[in-house]
């Protein structure tokens, strides 16, 4: 009589699979029996036992329920029918022992790569069948099931290690003490991480490994370095384990839990790993190391490594910030005490709300905090950790009991999900029929009951998890989780980022992980990473609120990459959330401003000034503020740095005001000009003093800075350069009175160069302005500093029309003596009041405009400077009017283009003067905003929505207007301007030329073409 099968001895209360499809089950039984055939000897006994098993209602239900619930196990049962029958007769323990013996024999005997790969897969297949039967039958507990899966992985790894080490020895790369079992003395070892390390592998789990070697124990065959050899072994190990062949695969193998996987080889020296963990190791990596154990290779080397790592994992003292960072592992998950909103279809039992991960984190976070002082808490397994927390009075016994019950149920259902098709899935089906099949496979006749049990379990876990560290604020968001620990994307985090507006959430998650690994300088300190964790939800939320979150995020990444360190700036963000809002706005709307921030993050400190968002300062206040700042300068170099810092902060303030719509670029132009004026006015006397230390003073000498271009007309934009002409006056040929005297021309030439350098030189605080001195007499070929008399004579006798046009915007911004300011202003006024041949002026203006159009011509309405009807047309028209009518109407000699055109209209010199002035202001607003925000050409199709809204404000349209509507406003404006330019310049010049009234052959200087 056949003895009862050990598979019938189920644990009390165990739910056998429900036979949901009897026809499918019958077909499976027939296939298995057909495979067994007419067995002989022991196989005959196995067959008899199996037939008897099928006669038992419990045995029949087990086999039929398996066939209905798992195509994978059914396939294994057919392929490995003898193993199935033997397991039925001897029981899973004996059957599994035979499989382990097979792994041990393979480890010692080896074979070719193909033979080893095939045998590994056959043994894994048999183990999967035996473990699945023991699990479904309720013979083994959860711990025994996961332990058997883990034992299978460990045995397979050890056999693979032995084969690869022997192969390396055959290659002449290493020497082996014991070729039959080479691992224990090889110096190479693998750490099993996560569930593998804790002997808690699930049914279709990956195995997480870190492959390390101890150089002092490695025996290389020659003087080659072990790194390449062991890296190849690690790569081949992955192939042996996970490559799919006709026999299947062994285990999917993941090496990404090693230190900094994006930049390190697959196998590392133990020392390199220690340095990483001690310098930039994160708390989630400490949590991962709780479960680490040696699973293959050199056990001695591995245990020594883990012992050396004990201070990293188990810290006896933790400061407030370290504890807060450990809390953050938990706080990144949005846990709800009430369980409201939990929905079962599609729910991830591992990573979702109330899932397995929350139970594991419940244990690990407390182990990290208290395990340094309480070694009893250093348990690897989850249930053992819960028991230890109860024993140490860290968790109440009823809470631990509920979590253990939940853990067993959730892991068991997880196994059922994976058994269906051997898929590494953790999610319940969304489809109602598929959900019912999983319920039946899990032993529930009623899917509704299955759902209620699961839902109550998940809610209980979530409640316990929410109450852990419940006094700390969450690090999720209203949208959901934000989890960046580990190496796999958290599905809820991906969904959260998608709801925030990110199109490529996986890219965001990967980059945040890189930050936390210290891959940028700013995050290399533990404190920086701790604060970054705290601000991450707010940061991602703010960036998500921009028009293009992905682009804004990448700009913030570039910003982060430029920071020399992160603690200070992250602390500023943490204590001043409004800074994060501003930075997000810059990243999302003003790429150019974000680049400026990346180069000089200290600019953000200026935002903390209470007056930062107040009305912009007056010229007098700016000059006084700079003097106050420079009064603290230690020396000349410090003066240059302080000036740069001050100007940078002030220009940044103006940029932010424009960005926020507190002002517009046209209204900001005088302020930007006043900043430059203050800089020039403050530096000139200090440069004189510094220069005098070596060369002394020039007796009776005077020097002045004449501004032209946009600085002269007070129309500067955020990145305008400075058009300067440096003029001096000194009588006679007597030299300076210093220790190294210089004659007047050399003295002022050197002094001018020193002054230019003071403004344009690049220091640790950057550059103040680019300087252009090509508008000086004779252009680039003339002396850097012009004598007053030479300047007067040049403009009276030799200057071209374009140079007098430029002089309409000239003004003295600084001088060593007020008398020179008066003299130089008088020279400029005399030149501009000199009567001219109006026809000749018009012809030359038209000719210059034509030449500029040939070089810079465009039909792009956003190129508001050079497009026809743009700012160049308006400026040329204004300057022509001033040169022709200024001698009779001195009130027309105004620097600002808009004021000139408006006055010309009032004086009857031109029609629609007010319209033309408005056109100047509109296009200056556009130019200033685009210079602030855009690098390169503007493209309305790809521009951030925030920038489009700002441009709409500048065009005086509703902020909802699109780029096409704004472009229409510009094109209409430019068409009107172009028509007026043709009427007053182009057409008049053509008529004059036709009448032969002017010499049309005069060519403006090359310098003018270059400048324009």
């Amino acid at each position: 009589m056949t003895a009862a099968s050990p598979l019938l001895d189920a644990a009390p209360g165990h739910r056998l699979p429900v036979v949901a499809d009897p026809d499918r089950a019958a077909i499976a039984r027939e296939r298995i029996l057909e495979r067994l055939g007419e067995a002989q000897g022991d196989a005959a006994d196995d067959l008899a036992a199996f037939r008897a098993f099928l006669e038992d209602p419990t045995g029949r239900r087990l086999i039929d329920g398996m066939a209905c619930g798992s195509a994978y196990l059914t396939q294994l049962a057919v392929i490995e029918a003898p193993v199935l029958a033997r397991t039925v007769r001897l029981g899973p323990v004996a059957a599994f022992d035979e499989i382990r013996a097979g792994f041990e024999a393979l480890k010692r005997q080896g074979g070719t790569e193909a033979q080893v790969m095939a045998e590994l897969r056959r043994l894994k297949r048999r183990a999967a069948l035996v473990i699945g039967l023991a699990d479904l039958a309720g013979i083994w507990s959860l711990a025994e099931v996961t332990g058997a899966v883990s034992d299978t992985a460990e045995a397979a790894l050890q056999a693979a290690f032995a084969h690869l080490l022997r192969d390396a020895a055959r290659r002449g790369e290493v020497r082996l003490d014991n070729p039959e079992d080479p691992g224990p003395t090889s110096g190479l070892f693998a750490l099993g991480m996560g569930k593998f390390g804790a002997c808690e592998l699930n049914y279709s789990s990956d195995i997480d490994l870190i492959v390390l070697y101890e150089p002092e124990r490695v025996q290389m065959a020659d003087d080659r370095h072990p790194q390449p050899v062991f890296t190849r072994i690690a790569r081949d190990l992955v192939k042996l384990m996970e490559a799919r062949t006709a026999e299947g695969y062994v285990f999917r193998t993941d090496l990404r839990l090693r230190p900094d996987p994006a930049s390190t080889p697959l196998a590392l020296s133990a020392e390199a790993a220690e340095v990483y963990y001690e310098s930039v190791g994160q708390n989630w990596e400490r949590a991962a190391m709780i479960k680490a154990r040696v699973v293959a290779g050199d056990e001695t080397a591995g245990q020594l490594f883990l012992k050396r790592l004990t201070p990293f994992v188990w810290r006896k003292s933790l400061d407030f910030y370290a504890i807060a960072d450990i809390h953050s592992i938990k706080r990144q998950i949005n846990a709800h005490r009430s369980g409201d909103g939990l929905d079962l279809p599609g729910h991830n039992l591992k990573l979702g709300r109330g899932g397995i991960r929350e139970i594991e984190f419940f244990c690990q976070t407390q182990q990290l905090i208290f395990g340094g002082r309480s070694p009893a808490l250093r348990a690897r397994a989850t249930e053992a950790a819960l028991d230890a927390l109860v024993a140490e009075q860290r968790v109440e016994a009823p809470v631990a009991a509920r979590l253990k019950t939940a853990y067993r149920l959730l892991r068991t259902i997880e196994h059922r999900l994976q058994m269906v098709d051997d898929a590494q899935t953790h999610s319940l089906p969304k489809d109602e029929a598929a959900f019912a099949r999983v319920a039946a496979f899990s032993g529930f006749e009623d899917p509704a009951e299955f759902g209620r049990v699961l839902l109550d379990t998940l809610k209980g876990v979530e409640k316990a998890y929410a109450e852990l560290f419940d006094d700390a604020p969450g690090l999720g968001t209203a949208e959901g989780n934000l989890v960046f620990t580990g190496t796999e994307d958290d599905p809820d985090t991906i969904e959260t980022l998608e709801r925030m507006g990110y199109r490529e959430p996986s890219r965001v998650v990967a980059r945040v992980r890189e930050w936390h690994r210290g891959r940028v300088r700013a995050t290399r300190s533990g404190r920086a990473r701790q604060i970054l964790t705290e601000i991450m939800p707010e940061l991602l939320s703010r960036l998500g609120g921009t028009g293009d979150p992905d682009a804004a995020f990448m700009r913030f990444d570039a910003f982060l990459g430029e920071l020399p360190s992160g603690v200070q700036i992250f602390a500023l963000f943490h204590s001043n959330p409004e800074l994060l809002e501003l930075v997000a706005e810059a990243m999302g709307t003003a790429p150019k401003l974000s680049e400026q921030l990346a180069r000089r993050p200290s600019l953000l400190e200026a935002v903390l000034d209470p007056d930062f968002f107040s009305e912009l300062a007056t010229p007098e206040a700016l000059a006084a503020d700079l003097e106050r700042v420079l009064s603290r300068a230690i020396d000349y170099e410090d003066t240059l740095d302080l000036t740069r810092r001050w100007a940078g902060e002030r220009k940044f303030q103006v940029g932010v005001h424009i960005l926020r719509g507190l002002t517009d670029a046209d209204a900001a132009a005088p302020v930007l000009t006043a900043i430059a004026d203050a800089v020039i006015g403050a530096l000139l006397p200090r440069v004189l003093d510094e220069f005098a230390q070596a060369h002394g003073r020039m007796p009776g000498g005077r020097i002045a800075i004449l501004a032209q271009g946009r600085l002269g007309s007070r129309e500067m934009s955020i990145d305008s350069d400075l058009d300067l002409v440096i003029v001096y006056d000194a009588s006679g040929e007597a030299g300076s009175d210093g220790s190294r005297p210089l004659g007047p021309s050399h003295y002022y030439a050197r002094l001018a160069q020193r002054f230019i350098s003071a403004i344009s030189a690049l220091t640790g605080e950057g550059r103040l302005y680019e300087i252009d001195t090509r508008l000086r007499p004779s252009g680039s070929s003339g002396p850097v500093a012009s004598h007053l008399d030479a300047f007067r004579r040049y403009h009276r006798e030799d200057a071209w029309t374009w140079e007098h046009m430029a002089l309409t915007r000239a003004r003295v911004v600084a001088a060593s003596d007020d008398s020179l300011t008066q003299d130089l202003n008088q020279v400029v006024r005399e030149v501009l009041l000199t009567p001219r041949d109006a026809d000749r002026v018009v012809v030359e203006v038209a000719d210059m405009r034509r030449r500029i159009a040939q070089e810079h011509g465009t039909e792009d309405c956003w190129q508001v400077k050079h497009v026809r009807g743009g700012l160049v047309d308006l400026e040329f028209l204004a300057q022509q009017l001033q040169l022709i009518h200024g001698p009779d109407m001195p009130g027309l000699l105004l620097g600002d283009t808009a004021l000139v055109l408006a006055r010309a209209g009032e004086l009857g010199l031109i029609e629609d003067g007010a319209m033309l002035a408005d056109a100047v202001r509109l296009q200056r607003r556009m130019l200033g905003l685009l210079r602030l925000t855009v690098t390169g050409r503007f493209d309305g199709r790809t521009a951030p929505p925030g920038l489009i809204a700002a441009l709409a404000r500048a065009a005086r349209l509703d902020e909802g207007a699109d780029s096409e509507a704004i472009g229409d406003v510009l094109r209409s404006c430019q068409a009107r301007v172009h028509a007026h330019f043709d009427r007053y310049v182009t057409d008049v010049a053509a008529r004059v030329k036709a009448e032969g009234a002017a010499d049309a052959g005069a060519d403006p200087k090359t310098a003018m073409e270059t400048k324009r």
Side-chain angles (χ1 to χ4, degrees), residues 250-548:
V250 190
F251 284 92
R252 291 174 292 268
T253 304
D254 193 338
L255 302 182
R256 291 177 298 166
L257 281 183
R258 71 186 185 276
D260 200 2
S263 62
T264 55
L266 298 180
L268 290 170
S269 72
E271 181 182 12
E274 286 179 60
V275 169
Y276 169 85
Y277 289 122
E278 290 169 0
S279 57
V280 295
Q282 300 172 64
N283 277 316
W284 73 262
E285 289 172 306
R286 291 178 59 211
M289 277 293 170
I290 291 175
K291 297 178 180 291
R293 67 184 175 93
V294 184
V295 293
D298 194 327
E299 175 84 18
T300 301
Q303 292 297 347
L304 287 172
F305 171 77
L306 290 176
K307 184 177 181 181
R308 292 195 300 271
L309 216 59
T310 298
F312 165 70
V313 181
W314 305 110
R315 297 179 182 174
K316 292 189 176 180
S317 62
L318 294 166
D319 61 23
F320 169 81
Y321 297 109
I323 292 174
D325 196 45
I326 294 169
H327 287 186
S328 73
I329 296 175
K330 178 259 178 182
R331 291 156 54 212
Q332 291 176 49
I333 299 173
N334 257 359
H336 305 265
R337 295 181 189 224
S338 65
D340 290 345
L342 258 171
D343 195 18
L344 286 181
H347 191 76
N348 190 308
L349 297 181
K350 176 184 177 182
L351 303 177
R353 289 172 55 188
I356 296 164
R357 177 179 59 180
E358 292 187 8
I359 301 173
E360 293 171 337
F361 280 6
F362 182 94
C363 298
Q364 292 167 9
T365 51
Q366 296 187 82
Q367 286 177 290
L368 288 178
I369 292 173
F370 305 118
R373 293 183 176 274
S374 301
L377 292 176
R378 301 176 187 179
R380 290 191 180 97
T382 301
E383 291 192 43
L386 284 168
D387 290 338
L389 287 166
V390 171
E392 291 290 311
Q393 298 183 341
R394 297 294 180 184
V395 174
E396 294 179 359
V399 173
R402 287 196 299 272
L403 289 177
K404 286 166 68 175
T405 300
Y407 183 72
R408 292 167 190 159
L409 175 67
L410 294 174
R411 289 299 306 273
T412 299
I413 304 303
E414 179 185 46
H415 285 177
R416 299 298 175 268
L417 290 168
Q418 295 178 351
M419 285 176 178
V420 174
D421 288 310
D422 188 32
Q424 192 195 17
T425 181
H426 312 279
S427 297
L428 295 167
K430 295 181 179 179
D431 176 75
E432 186 175 335
F435 187 86
R437 287 194 294 272
V438 171
F441 193 37
S442 303
F444 288 83
E445 299 276 357
D446 181 6
E449 182 192 2
F450 176 66
R452 285 193 299 272
V453 171
L454 260 183
L455 199 57
D456 288 345
T457 300
L458 294 169
K459 287 181 177 180
V461 171
E462 186 174 46
K463 183 176 185 296
Y465 192 64
E467 291 172 349
L468 179 67
F469 314 139
D470 62 353
D471 57 338
L475 288 180
T477 71
E479 286 86 358
N481 291 357
L482 286 174
V483 178
F484 302 102
T485 56
T487 57
E488 297 179 2
D489 289 355
D490 171 53
D492 283 350
T493 298
I494 296 297
E495 291 178 8
T496 298
L497 291 169
E498 286 174 342
R499 283 193 290 271
M500 286 180 170
Y502 294 92
R503 295 188 307 277
E504 299 181 74
S506 289
R507 184 184 186 191
V508 173
V509 171
R511 196 59 195 145
V512 172
R513 282 204 201 101
E514 295 295 297
W515 297 347
H516 282 297
R517 288 186 182 278
R519 293 295 297 278
V520 294
R521 285 177 300 174
T523 63
R524 285 183 187 154
S525 75
R527 180 72 183 112
R529 293 192 297 275
Q530 288 163 3
I531 307 174
L532 181 62
T533 298
E534 295 291 323
I535 66 174
M536 190 60 64
E538 183 74 13
L539 169 64
L540 292 174
S541 181
R542 296 288 189 184
L543 293 173
T546 64
D548 187 348

Side-chain angles (χ1 to χ4, degrees), residues 577-715:
E578 66 274 11
L579 281 184
L580 266 181
E581 180 183 2
L582 176 60
V583 168
E585 190 173 0
M587 302 300 162
T589 305
K592 195 166 184 178
L593 196 61
S594 69
E595 291 173 9
Q596 185 182 356
L597 275 178
R599 290 192 299 271
R600 298 186 62 194
S602 61
L603 290 173
L604 285 173
E605 296 178 14
V607 182
L608 302 180
D609 189 309
D611 296 328
F612 186 84
F613 291 105
S614 301
E615 187 175 349
L616 295 171
T618 64
E620 295 76 17
L622 287 169
D625 187 53
L626 178 55
E627 286 296 333
R628 179 185 57 79
V629 168
L630 294 184
S631 67
R632 301 194 301 266
I634 300 170
D635 53 27
Y636 181 70
E637 297 303 324
D638 195 33
T639 294
L640 299 185
D641 283 340
L642 287 172
T643 306
R644 281 157 172 74
R645 194 175 308 149
W646 178 88
E649 290 175 357
R650 287 299 188 171
K651 287 194 283 185
F652 179 68
Q653 180 190 21
V654 174
V656 170
H657 274 237
I658 295 172
L659 192 64
R660 285 280 177 92
L662 300 175
T663 188
D664 61 53
D666 185 52
V671 182
L672 290 168
T673 303
I675 293 169
D677 286 354
V679 165
I680 295 170
L683 284 183
L684 181 60
R686 288 169 171 83
V687 171
L688 283 167
D689 291 343
E690 172 69 13
F691 191 75
Q693 291 183 21
H695 303 291
R697 307 279 180 179
M698 182 61 65
R702 303 177 296 168
I703 186 170
I705 311 300
L706 184 70
Q708 295 188 260
R710 296 192 181 280
L711 173 62
S713 59
R714 295 184 174 88
E715 297 174 292

Side-chain angles (χ1 to χ4, degrees), residues 41 57 179 231 391 718 764 842 890 965:
T231 296
I718 202 77
V842 173

Side-chain angles (χ1 to χ4, degrees), residues 181-212:
D181 187 13
T185 57
S186 64
L188 180 69
F189 60 94
L191 296 179
M193 306 296 291
K195 289 181 170 63
F196 189 15
C199 296
E200 295 177 326
L201 281 179
N202 55 45
Y203 193 75
S204 296
S205 182
D206 289 359
I207 56 174
D208 291 305
L209 300 178
I210 297 178
V211 179
L212 302 170

Side-chain angles (χ1 to χ4, degrees), residues 807-827:
L807 214 58
T808 63
R809 304 164 91 175
R811 64 186 179 88
V812 178
V813 292
S816 62
D817 190 292
D818 289 343
S819 62
L820 184 55
T821 300
Q822 296 170 6
D823 291 345
L824 189 52
N825 280 333
Q826 182 61 33
V827 170

Side-chain angles (χ1 to χ4, degrees), residues 695-971:
H695 303 291
R697 307 279 180 179
M698 182 61 65
R702 303 177 296 168
I703 186 170
I705 311 300
L706 184 70
Q708 295 188 260
R710 296 192 181 280
L711 173 62
S713 59
R714 295 184 174 88
E715 297 174 292
M716 288 183 69
S717 60
I718 202 77
D719 65 346
S720 293
D721 59 8
L722 304 184
D723 290 304
L724 301 180
V725 176
I726 301 174
V727 179
Y728 72 93
D729 184 35
S731 57
E733 295 299 322
S736 61
D737 58 10
S739 58
R740 292 157 55 193
L742 296 170
S745 61
H746 286 103
Y747 181 92
Y748 284 106
R750 296 272 293 275
L751 177 58
Q753 291 289 5
R754 181 73 61 89
F755 177 75
I756 292 169
S757 177
I759 292 178
S760 61
L762 194 62
T763 76
E765 292 290 335
R767 178 183 284 112
L768 276 168
Y769 297 93
E770 296 282 0
I771 288 185
D772 190 338
T773 61
R774 289 174 296 172
L775 287 177
R776 66 187 185 269
S778 300
S780 299
S781 61
V784 177
S786 301
H787 193 284
L788 178 63
D789 292 341
F791 181 85
R792 179 187 294 110
R793 185 167 52 253
Y794 180 84
H795 278 284
R796 283 178 176 174
E797 301 173 5
D798 300 320
W800 295 82
T801 297
W802 72 262
E803 290 176 297
H804 286 168
M805 291 168 66
L807 214 58
T808 63
R809 304 164 91 175
R811 64 186 179 88
V812 178
V813 292
S816 62
D817 190 292
D818 289 343
S819 62
L820 184 55
T821 300
Q822 296 170 6
D823 291 345
L824 189 52
N825 280 333
Q826 182 61 33
V827 170
V828 171
R829 190 169 181 80
E830 288 174 359
V831 171
L832 296 180
L833 291 176
T834 300
R836 289 172 175 77
D837 183 328
D839 288 345
R840 185 181 182 89
V841 169
V842 173
V843 168
E844 293 192 0
V845 169
D847 193 46
M848 284 184 284
R849 186 64 186 96
R850 178 182 57 79
R851 291 171 179 268
I852 290 173
Q854 288 174 347
E855 185 175 353
H856 299 290
T858 177
E859 295 182 359
D860 182 359
C861 67
W862 299 100
Q863 300 292 310
V864 295
K865 180 176 179 181
H866 289 294
V867 70
R868 293 316 308 256
L871 287 172
V872 170
D873 279 359
L874 289 159
E875 290 165 2
F876 273 28
L877 182 56
Q879 291 161 11
Q880 172 183 296
L881 289 167
Q882 289 176 288
L883 291 184
I884 293 174
H885 301 288
D888 297 325
M889 301 176 182
L892 195 61
L893 300 179
L894 304 167
D896 185 299
T897 304
L899 295 179
V900 172
L901 292 171
R903 181 66 60 83
E906 293 168 359
L907 294 173
L909 302 177
I910 194 169
E911 290 185 8
D912 298 326
M915 179 276 291
L916 294 172
D918 287 342
V920 173
R921 297 185 180 104
L922 167 64
Q923 297 191 83
R924 284 197 307 217
R925 289 195 298 270
M926 291 294 178
L927 177 68
L929 184 56
L930 292 172
R931 292 277 176 88
L932 170 69
T933 56
V934 177
T935 301
R937 286 184 176 270
F938 172 80
D939 185 346
R941 296 167 298 179
T942 59
L947 176 55
I948 298 296
L951 288 167
R953 289 197 303 269
R956 300 296 189 257
L957 296 175
D958 183 86
E959 287 193 12
D962 60 16
S963 62
E964 190 61 31
I966 303 167
D968 287 344
V969 170
L970 279 175
R971 283 185 285 269

